Amino acid sequence: MKTPIRVAVTGAAGQIGYSLLFRIASGAMFGPDQPVILQLIEAPIEKAMKALEGVAMELDDCAFPLLKGIVMTDDAKVGFKDANWCLLVGAKPRGPGMERADLLKDNGQIFIGQGQIIDAVAAADARIAVVGNPANTNCMIAASQAKRLPAERFTAMVRLDQNRAQTQLAKKAGVDLTAVQNIFIYGNHSPTMFPAFAHATISGKPATSVITDTAWLQGPFCETVGKRGAAIIAARGASSAASAANALVDHVRSLVTPGAIHSVAVKSNGLYGFDANVWAGMPVRTTTPGSYEVITGYAMDDFAKSKIAATNKELTEERAFVAELIGK
Ligand code: NAX
């Protein structure tokens, strides 16, 4: 039996948490032979902590053989202690009439604190994955506070966008989902993101030779993927939760699987036209469990360059909003 790994999850009593925790405990994230201890962190609000107790009761009632312990806390120092993976799902939602800048600053405070605490108390091999929005910039903020853990360990999730793009291409081409490969998301997890269809393949052929409707690829395809979150809110009356949890399972599973090729928002070093030090979605290849390299060498045409410039602009603006906060 392997030693259990400690998985800290913030926002554990929220919508995404309610789908996510059961998948982690079942083995979907770390594999069917990897025991886990869940360290569940909620905001210090009575209602949230009470809800968390209910979720933990349900986890108990699943009798998952891999689940070796549950910690419940509203103290991040306890929740992140010795954590091997820190899944930062909890965030302050955008309230009515709230400006984007205020949202960035309010969440900035949360992610500064969490970045410092993770750096102080998490395991030496800790990896951090950010889901709470604005995910890319929250991830940059948390990483900015770390002195011990390298910035590359901090990733933000664009996998939901990748999964959405894969399905849309498969539907348009009338092929099985698995025929679509190498569809990567560049930039921000926001409607400015760019699903780089020109590099995708369908049944081994360039996607653009299978789907020859360039106007659809550049227009409705990019728009559907970029605005899918809003479409789900309009239809369901609540934001994506099960699909977001599933995407986080995929994000981490791919990051612990050497050879996996997938989209992750990582610290830019200037590749593909992104400013250095923004966290931007890019194609990566997992090297060893938890580590990756950015895949280089994809050529960008003028359309791709303009899309990347737009999403990079948004990322640099977000960074400017919080620059004072993080002292950079
Ligand atoms: P919920 O509002 O259902 O749950 C969030 C939970 O976080 C709440 O229970 C709240 O009490 C908790 N929380 C707030 N501040 C906290 C703190 N400082 N420490 C610990 N817990 C804290 O939201 P949910 O639908 O679960 O979504 C969570 C986040 O994911 C949101 O920011 C949302 O915008 C973001 N999303 C990101 C996606 C992505 O692809 N990157 C897609 C889905 C989702 O929209």
Side-chain angles (χ1 to χ4, degrees):
M1 184 64 120
K2 288 183 177 175
T3 310
I5 57 170
R6 294 179 176 273
V7 186
V9 182
T10 68
Q15 276 207 99
I16 294 176
Y18 193 65
S19 285
L20 177 67
L21 303 178
F22 300 87
R23 302 280 308 279
I24 301 173
S26 75
M29 188 176 267
F30 296 102
D33 61 349
Q34 177 58 64
V36 294
I37 295 170
L38 287 173
Q39 306 193 159
L40 309 179
I41 308 169
E42 255 301 337
I45 302 168
E46 204 187 330
K47 199 168 160 224
M49 289 307 293
K50 189 85 191 143
L52 189 57
E53 275 176 35
V55 176
M57 285 159 72
E58 286 203 68
L59 281 165
D60 280 344
D61 294 350
C62 290
F64 286 119
L66 293 172
L67 184 56
K68 299 302 177 195
I70 303 175
V71 173
M72 278 179 280
T73 183
D74 60 7
D75 181 350
K77 290 191 197 75
V78 174
F80 290 125
K81 181 90 181 101
D82 299 328
N84 306 101
W85 276 88
C86 303
L87 308 180
L88 308 188
V89 179
K92 185 169 175 177
R94 190 170 183 164
M98 194 175 179
E99 294 294 332
R100 191 173 175 81
D102 295 330
L103 179 74
L104 280 159
K105 283 182 183 150
D106 284 0
N107 275 301
Q109 297 292 358
I110 295 174
F111 284 81
I112 282 180
Q114 292 184 350
Q116 289 172 349
I117 293 169
I118 289 168
D119 199 48
V121 306
D125 69 352
R127 262 64 180 174
I128 299 90
V130 179
V131 172
N133 279 320
N136 298 51
T137 297
N138 287 341
C139 187
M140 180 202 71
I141 293 169
S144 75
Q145 302 304 303
K147 297 189 178 75
R148 177 178 62 118
L149 301 173
E152 294 70 35
R153 302 270 191 92
F154 291 76
T155 61
M157 186 174 94
V158 288
R159 185 59 173 266
L160 180 55
D161 312 304
Q162 177 187 311
N163 289 348
R164 288 166 170 169
Q166 185 179 0
T167 299
Q168 293 303 316
L169 289 178
K171 283 193 171 177
K172 180 73 173 177
V175 298
D176 187 79
L177 179 78
T178 54
V180 178
Q181 298 290 319
N182 297 336
I183 175 71
F184 303 121
I185 303 296
Y186 289 80
N188 206 0
H189 169 68
S190 84
T192 68
M193 81 187 71
F194 176 48
F197 52 82
H199 305 139
T201 58
I202 299 178
S203 309
K205 297 187 211 98
T208 48
S209 73
V210 178
I211 301 171
T212 52
D213 184 350
T214 307
W216 180 82
L217 287 166
Q218 294 187 348
F221 168 65
C222 288
E223 222 164 88
T224 301
V225 177
K227 296 188 179 162
R228 187 70 163 183
I232 285 166
I233 293 173
R236 207 173 83 86
S239 58
S240 331
S243 55
N246 176 68
L248 184 56
V249 171
D250 288 347
H251 173 107
V252 175
R253 187 90 188 115
S254 292
L255 276 175
V256 296
T257 307
I261 289 178
H262 50 122
S263 312
V264 179
V266 300
K267 183 185 179 191
S268 161
N269 63 2
L271 267 174
Y272 292 117
F274 287 102
D275 268 43
N277 303 326
V278 294
W279 259 249
M282 299 202 196
V284 308
R285 182 184 296 105
T286 300
T287 50
T288 54
S291 300
Y292 57 86
E293 60 190 9
V294 174
I295 301 172
T296 57
Y298 277 117
M300 297 293 172
D301 61 15
D302 286 346
F303 178 77
K305 281 182 189 156
S306 72
K307 295 293 277 184
I308 287 178
T311 193
N312 180 57
K313 181 168 177 281
E314 186 179 51
L315 285 168
T316 54
E317 283 168 3
E318 289 186 7
R319 186 177 58 188
F321 278 135
V322 299
E324 211 173 302
L325 206 64
I326 60 174
K328 302 217 167 161

